[in-house]
Amino acid sequence: MASNMEKLNDIALEHIAQYFQALSEPTRLKILHSLQDGERNVSELTELSGCTQANVSKHLSLLAKIGLVKRESRGTSVYYNIADPSIYTLCELVCGQIGSRLADEAPLRAMLLSSLDKFNT
Amino acid sequence: MASNMEKLNDIALEHIAQYFQALSEPTRLKILHSLQDGERNVSELTELSGCTQANVSKHLSLLAKIGLVKRESRGTSVYYNIADPSIYTLCELVCGQIGSRLADEAPLRAMLLSSLDKFNT
DNA sequence: TGACTATATAACTATATGGTTATATATTAA
DNA sequence: TTAATATATAACCATATAGTTATATAGTCA
């Protein structure tokens, strides 16, 4: 029985890991952010993300596979919308953590500020 | 200025993505789970995770770099403890999502149950 | 100082991943 | 049926990642 539970936990861990992995890429985070206010088609997402259509399509495919977005074909366009809004809760929690870290870590903060300075020229 | 804000958002996204990436690996999730009740040294984590000491050490190094764990040398042992308990909130949220997905998806559920059956022999 | 234990790191390997270019596929209209 | 637009996928490439084996490094004790 203990072996049963152990195996089930491994499968659960794999699912959890995959879920986090879907969120572990800036381009995908951008796409998900673009979908927060409502569905968009691939062309729109391509423009908003600044990546190639092929790349966006590839990322969307993964997000759909993990179940974070849903795909809906309409005419010649394909629309994607959020299937799992809890990801925004996750992102907010992480943003909060990273934000408070930035406050705590003066060296990192100085680096970020110097990045800003570079664009003031 | 818009370019400044955009650049800062890219940096934030990168940090967020890295945070999720730290959680996107079953072995690392196991290690973090083992630390939930309190600190442990590398040997203990090695036994609990079922991986090699070198591998565990490597994962711990990454977790420390992202700021999820803290390292403390004591005698010949090195202890690691959780620096950012919010990861357990994240995991619970994701578990909840995946759990309700399992309830929704009969085919996947049947697969998991058949996994259990295999161990009843 | 040498021996021992615990841990980190180097070097390697197989596989995965993100991005790209080209093109296959799907839908629609004339 | 052909042409046009939108999207998905194949194939490729460079880089990253997880795991491994070997060994360097750190701390302690006699």
Side-chain angles (χ1 to χ4, degrees):
Chain A
M1 260 340 220
S3 174
N4 295 358
M5 296 312 300
E6 201 167 294
K7 204 64 181 178
L8 186 57
N9 283 343
D10 277 357
I11 295 177
L13 283 181
E14 185 58 40
H15 275 90
I16 298 171
Q18 282 182 3
Y19 196 100
F20 283 126
Q21 192 180 36
L23 299 173
S24 68
E25 224 289 306
T27 301
R28 286 202 286 276
L29 289 175
K30 269 193 205 169
I31 289 169
L32 292 168
H33 181 67
S34 301
L35 291 174
Q36 191 165 13
D37 303 324
E39 67 170 17
R40 294 188 192 267
N41 65 30
V42 179
S43 295
E44 288 169 323
L45 292 170
T46 298
E47 282 180 32
L48 290 167
S49 70
C51 302
T52 63
Q53 175 269 315
N55 198 18
V56 169
S57 201
K58 199 169 178 178
H59 284 304
L60 286 168
S61 174
L62 183 145
L63 290 172
K65 184 184 156 215
I66 302 292
L68 301 190
V69 300
K70 277 200 175 176
R71 181 184 187 278
E72 186 172 336
S73 207
R74 246 185 267 142
T76 65
S77 288
V78 176
Y79 286 82
Y80 284 85
N81 61 82
I82 292 295
D84 181 356
S86 70
I87 56 173
Y88 299 112
T89 306
L90 293 180
C91 288
E92 275 167 32
L93 285 174
V94 174
C95 276
Q97 270 300 318
I98 290 168
S100 62
R101 290 243 199 103
L102 291 182
D104 289 347
E105 300 185 22
L108 184 56
R109 189 184 177 89
M111 184 196 76
L112 290 176
L113 289 177
S114 78
S115 292
L116 283 179
D117 284 346
K118 278 178 192 164
F119 290 100
N120 283 343
T121 53
Chain B
M1 264 334 218
S3 174
N4 295 0
M5 294 313 298
E6 202 169 293
K7 203 62 177 178
L8 185 57
N9 283 343
D10 278 357
I11 295 178
L13 281 181
E14 186 58 41
H15 275 88
I16 298 170
Q18 281 183 4
Y19 195 100
F20 283 126
Q21 193 182 35
L23 299 173
S24 69
E25 226 290 307
T27 301
R28 285 203 285 276
L29 289 175
K30 268 192 205 169
I31 288 168
L32 293 168
H33 181 68
S34 301
L35 291 175
Q36 190 164 15
D37 303 326
E39 67 171 19
R40 293 188 195 269
N41 63 30
V42 178
S43 294
E44 288 169 322
L45 291 170
T46 297
E47 282 180 32
L48 289 169
S49 69
C51 301
T52 64
Q53 173 269 313
N55 198 19
V56 169
S57 202
K58 199 170 178 178
H59 283 303
L60 285 167
S61 174
L62 183 146
L63 291 171
K65 183 183 156 214
I66 302 293
L68 301 192
V69 300
K70 278 202 175 172
R71 182 182 186 280
E72 186 174 333
S73 207
R74 248 186 268 140
T76 63
S77 287
V78 175
Y79 287 81
Y80 284 85
N81 61 81
I82 292 295
D84 179 358
S86 69
I87 55 175
Y88 299 112
T89 306
L90 293 180
C91 288
E92 277 167 31
L93 285 173
V94 173
C95 277
Q97 270 299 316
I98 290 169
S100 62
R101 291 242 199 103
L102 291 182
D104 290 347
E105 299 187 23
L108 184 58
R109 188 185 178 87
M111 182 197 76
L112 290 176
L113 289 177
S114 76
S115 292
L116 284 180
D117 284 345
K118 279 177 193 167
F119 291 101
N120 283 343
T121 52

